[in-house]
Amino acid sequence: MTTLYLVRHGETVDNARQIMQGQTQGELNENGIRQAEEVSREWASKPLDAIIASDLKRSIDTAKIIAEPHQLEVLTTPLLRERDWGSFTGRYIPELKGEVWPDDIETLENLLSRAGEFIAYVKETFPGKKVLAVGHGIINKAVQAVYYGKSMSEIQRMTNAEVRILEL
């Protein structure tokens, strides 16, 4: 059985400003770096066989901090990218309430499909291993929705640098 430790990246400048980041690179703020360092300390003595991150900077930076004591290379995959928020990207989140969603937002169907592909990738590539994967709030929610066979709304939102464990 493969164990997946699913992590949300540390807090970013845009998280703190309530800006919709989507698939922008993002930059960890001081708090986000501290959060990643805390996870790194907590997980330093736990066995990990692989560390994967979304190919977006905020996840890669978080994963590199966590990977340091394990001396593992951080692998990246676009499957773990955050949802593409289209023309909502870069907008102030509280202002989006009640707005009609534009057609350029990644569909829920595509998001859940990517989540399923990510789970399959981990199972096939790392059978029986312990894998820590750093993703984003919405894609991590989608991974869990697929894993548990639930709707996205039934999955509790992950906080920055939170870790959840899935046995694949």
Side-chain angles (χ1 to χ4, degrees), residues 63-82:
K64 284 181 177 177
I65 292 168
I66 296 169
E68 208 170 290
H70 296 278
Q71 298 177 345
L72 290 171
E73 177 187 351
V74 174
L75 308 172
T76 62
T77 177
L79 293 173
L80 259 187
R81 271 187 185 184
E82 183 56 298

Side-chain angles (χ1 to χ4, degrees), residues 97-124:
K97 282 195 166 90
E99 279 202 33
V100 174
W101 282 31
D103 292 336
D104 59 358
I105 291 178
E106 181 178 10
T107 65
L108 191 56
E109 180 180 85
N110 190 64
L111 180 72
L112 292 168
S113 174
R114 274 199 298 122
E117 286 177 50
F118 174 72
I119 290 171
Y121 161 74
V122 171
K123 286 167 72 170
E124 291 165 18

Side-chain angles (χ1 to χ4, degrees), residues 9-71:
H9 62 78
E11 185 180 70
T12 65
V13 172
D14 281 347
N15 287 148
R17 292 173 46 218
Q18 296 187 63
I19 300 297
M20 186 70 82
Q21 292 175 99
Q23 295 189 356
T24 60
Q25 294 299 322
E27 187 70 42
L28 296 179
N29 62 18
E30 285 181 30
N31 189 44
I33 292 168
R34 258 194 315 278
Q35 290 169 332
E37 289 170 345
E38 283 175 30
V39 174
S40 180
R41 280 191 298 277
E42 287 172 25
W43 287 80
S45 62
K46 297 181 183 181
L48 292 175
D49 298 302
I51 297 181
I52 306 169
S54 145
D55 62 351
L56 299 176
K57 185 180 186 325
R58 59 193 188 267
S59 288
I60 295 169
D61 290 350
T62 301
K64 284 181 177 177
I65 292 168
I66 296 169
E68 208 170 290
H70 296 278
Q71 298 177 345

